[in-house]
Amino acid sequence: MDVERRRAPQDRAEAQQALVSGAWPLLLSIEQACAYLGVSPVTFRKICPVPAVALSAAVTRWNRNQIDEWVNSLPPKTAGQRVAAPEAASPYDAL
């Protein structure tokens, strides 16, 4: 049993390395797509323009290659660049 406990962290590290090295499936579930990008499901749905693929009425997946193409098309963030905050609506805009 002690051997299993000592090997568990190494097994997890190996599993994580396998995911990093390209062992992701071609069609990702929402959970996998979020883990792949490191975002929450809410954020994923807001920012990802890749259309979902309906495999059946209850099964939806996202194509990893299309996600990669979208991510690679994003402009790089430069040092000191900040995301612009949305402008607050002025009560005088409606006049």
Side-chain angles (χ1 to χ4, degrees):
M1 183 162 292
D2 289 331
V3 172
E4 289 178 19
R5 287 185 187 168
R6 279 186 250 134
R7 291 183 58 96
Q10 182 181 4
D11 292 341
R12 277 180 272 176
E14 289 171 4
Q16 185 176 17
Q17 180 60 36
L19 289 176
V20 171
S21 67
W24 292 93
L26 176 61
L27 297 176
L28 304 171
S29 68
I30 185 74
E31 294 84 10
Q32 291 169 322
C34 291
Y36 187 67
L37 294 174
V39 298
S40 71
V42 171
T43 300
F44 179 80
R45 288 186 178 102
K46 283 182 184 179
I47 67 171
C48 184
V50 174
V53 176
L55 298 179
S56 71
V59 179
T60 303
R61 298 289 186 260
W62 283 262
N63 186 304
R64 179 178 40 83
N65 292 335
Q66 291 178 334
I67 291 173
D68 287 341
E69 288 175 17
W70 164 62
V71 170
N72 290 332
S73 73
L74 296 173
K77 183 177 177 182
T78 60
Q81 182 182 16
R82 297 182 64 177
V83 177
E87 292 184 27
S90 170
Y92 301 104
D93 290 343
L95 296 178

